[in-house]
Amino acid sequence: ACTDLLPGPTVSAFETDGLTLLGGPGGVYGDDYLAEPTPEQRAGGITCIWGDATTTASAITISVAPLTAATRPEVVTALSAQGLNASVDGPIATIAILGDDEHRPAILNVLRADSWISVIMTLGGPGPFDRALDLADEVALTVYAAA
């Protein structure tokens, strides 16, 4: 379930902020929230969308998918083709864009040898991007016990 991706206090904070689990396993609309499966779902993972059903300006999308040595290069290529910025820190590749608070979301993809974690914040900019980084770290620790 989506609530298993994050520590309990983070899920509670989403609820306090008025964000409901709308899409994904355990969500109000389940996997029917999006018209098409996400790339992470097509790779065998899950996508979870927390938001306020009355506005699209507050959604947080978190996806997790397994990666292997065979699938990682095609994911990196597909993400790089989207014009996102890439950086590598040892075994971790980060492919992202900061976005802005008007038109472009903050998009973060963190690729490890065995996992792909993505976080999309509807409103971008430095603050939301930093929150996306924190959420990706929380997912890595909760799901994969990795820093």
Side-chain angles (χ1 to χ4, degrees), residues 15-108:
E15 292 169 3
T16 299
D17 291 342
L19 302 178
T20 301
L21 179 58
L22 299 172
V28 174
Y29 304 103
D31 285 332
D32 295 330
Y33 186 75
L34 299 173
E36 298 287 326
T38 64
E40 295 87 349
Q41 288 172 310
R42 288 193 297 271
I46 64 171
T47 293
C48 305
I49 302 163
W50 280 269
D52 177 341
T54 64
T55 179
T56 59
S58 64
I60 299 172
T61 303
I62 300 174
S63 299
V64 179
L67 282 183
T68 65
T71 59
R72 192 171 194 259
E74 66 188 62
V75 171
V76 169
T77 298
L79 292 171
S80 297
Q82 295 176 22
L84 304 174
N85 303 309
S87 66
V88 176
D89 183 13
I92 301 172
T94 302
I95 304 172
I97 191 160
L98 184 67
D100 61 48
D101 62 0
E102 293 181 20
H103 305 290
R104 297 191 68 176
I107 300 171
L108 172 68

Side-chain angles (χ1 to χ4, degrees), residues 112 114-115 136-147:
R112 291 178 171 79
D114 63 348
S115 67
D137 286 345
E138 288 181 23
V139 170
L141 289 169
T142 302
V143 177
Y144 296 99

